[in-house]
Amino acid sequence: MSRPYYHGSECAFGNLFMWQTCYDIFWTVAHDFLVIKVKRNDVDFFLQPFGGKDEDLPKLMQEIKEYNGGKPFEIHGIYEDGKERLLKAFPDLEITDDRDNWDYVYLQQNLATLAGRKYHGKKNHCNAFVKEYPDYVYEEMSRSNIDECIAFGDMWCERRMGDDPSLVCEKCAIHEALNNFEALKLRGGVIRIGGKVEAFSFGEKINDNTAVLHVEKANPEIRGLYSVINRDFAKNAWGDVTYLNREEDMGIEGLRMAKESYKPEFMVKKYSTVFK
């Protein structure tokens, strides 16, 4: 039986690894299914089961319920194929749309070139940046500059923690990822201005045609810098993939506007349910 070609961010091992401490992530294999448990905002939930046979889903769900003390449990991050499998096994299961966690997936070529009228504004931001900082340098993230990127990420998060306590968690996740950069087979890009790191981004390839971009940080006081790190990273690091997944917007209005402005090729739809 062939398996779906996933494009979702939950399928990135590096993603699960870097957030493991923040979200208390655990996994096991039961009845040939990969089962992943997560805790967010003090609520335990499971991701959709991966693998296994459709006919074994009732056994797996019952086992998870027993593990949960016989109480109902939540399942999040359900993709279209997972929705179909669950409804086939449990036709009365109520599954709801989780729009805040849909992933935005873009054509690599579009982000790398910003060609065409729909990217006219983005290109203007990049041109304004290059005009003001003609000597900026883009470089590949490597062991030689990772410590500087960690320091920049710390500073970026610490300046905003008063407004968003969750950035304590994000700071921890960046450390987990960059301290294990090579082992996780991550790719990253860095921008220097006057020799100083002012932006970085990193992600990982999850299949032959898709990469997931996990983190993008830039000095917000420098006009056009976010547009440039986005473009340069897509162009220099990801020439071997068709799609770049820039993950979800979490229901944050400004983030949603920013991600929609880059004109996604498609969205990875996700759903949630409570198994009773």
Side-chain angles (χ1 to χ4, degrees):
M1 176 176 158
S2 62
R3 295 301 181 193
Y5 209 36
Y6 290 113
H7 296 94
S9 56
E10 290 83 1
C11 296
F13 176 78
N15 212 359
L16 296 169
F17 183 89
M18 66 186 282
W19 293 101
Q20 63 178 308
T21 301
C22 295
Y23 294 148
D24 203 22
I25 297 173
F26 288 90
W27 67 272
T28 190
V29 175
H31 305 292
D32 290 327
F33 291 94
L34 172 63
V35 182
I36 300 171
K37 184 172 78 70
V38 182
K39 177 180 283 188
R40 184 180 293 177
N41 299 325
D42 295 323
V43 175
D44 287 328
F45 62 89
F46 296 83
L47 299 182
Q48 79 163 46
F50 293 97
K53 298 177 181 178
D54 290 354
E55 57 265 32
D56 290 332
L57 270 170
K59 287 190 292 186
L60 177 68
M61 294 296 106
Q62 182 59 36
E63 199 163 299
I64 293 175
K65 187 173 181 179
E66 290 172 5
Y67 167 84
N68 202 45
K71 297 179 292 186
F73 61 90
E74 298 180 18
I75 305 177
H76 296 273
I78 302 171
Y79 301 147
E80 293 283 3
D81 76 295
K83 178 182 176 182
E84 291 175 10
R85 296 182 75 189
L86 287 168
L87 287 175
K88 181 180 177 182
F90 308 98
D92 296 328
L93 189 64
E94 186 176 336
I95 297 180
T96 58
D97 189 332
D98 188 8
R99 172 64 181 85
D100 291 350
N101 285 298
W102 288 11
D103 286 339
Y104 292 75
V105 183
Y106 308 84
L107 285 173
Q108 180 272 343
Q109 186 177 19
N110 285 349
L111 296 190
T113 63
L114 300 179
R117 291 183 61 186
K118 65 182 178 180
Y119 291 112
H120 181 71
K122 302 296 182 186
K123 188 170 286 187
N124 282 345
H125 285 308
C126 290
N127 290 340
F129 171 86
V130 173
K131 184 177 179 180
E132 188 164 353
Y133 303 99
D135 298 324
Y136 89 94
V137 175
Y138 173 90
E139 62 189 38
E140 182 180 338
M141 188 180 287
S142 67
R143 182 48 55 191
S144 66
N145 55 31
I146 277 177
D147 287 345
E148 292 174 274
C149 291
I150 290 174
F152 178 80
D154 287 351
M155 179 179 65
W156 192 98
C157 291
E158 287 164 3
R159 285 181 176 176
R160 294 160 181 78
M161 280 178 190
D163 299 323
D164 187 355
S166 70
L167 289 173
V168 174
C169 190
E170 184 167 2
K171 177 181 170 182
C172 172
I174 291 171
H175 279 244
E176 288 275 23
L178 296 188
N179 284 329
N180 295 279
F181 187 80
E182 294 92 348
L184 294 172
K185 297 181 180 179
L186 301 177
R187 301 182 195 178
V190 181
I191 285 182
R192 293 183 186 273
I193 300 174
K196 182 181 176 183
V197 171
E198 294 287 4
F200 71 81
S201 185
F202 64 82
E204 65 183 297
K205 193 173 179 179
I206 61 169
N207 57 47
D208 290 342
N209 70 7
T210 307
V212 177
L213 309 189
H214 300 316
V215 171
E216 181 182 88
K217 300 298 179 195
N219 185 337
E221 297 177 3
I222 299 177
R223 180 191 172 194
L225 184 52
Y226 270 106
S227 296
V228 171
I229 185 62
N230 189 337
R231 180 198 65 184
D232 286 7
F233 188 40
K235 177 171 63 178
N236 289 285
W238 301 112
D240 60 338
V241 300
T242 303
Y243 301 110
L244 295 177
N245 179 328
R246 290 178 55 81
E247 301 188 346
E248 70 283 343
D249 61 40
M250 300 172 290
I252 300 171
E253 184 178 356
L255 194 55
R256 179 166 297 186
M257 290 177 61
K259 296 200 175 199
E260 288 179 342
S261 72
Y262 274 98
K263 313 300 181 187
E265 185 71 6
F266 63 90
M267 307 288 288
V268 177
K269 296 180 179 180
K270 302 177 196 177
Y271 305 87
S272 299
T273 190
V274 176
F275 191 87
K276 299 177 180 178

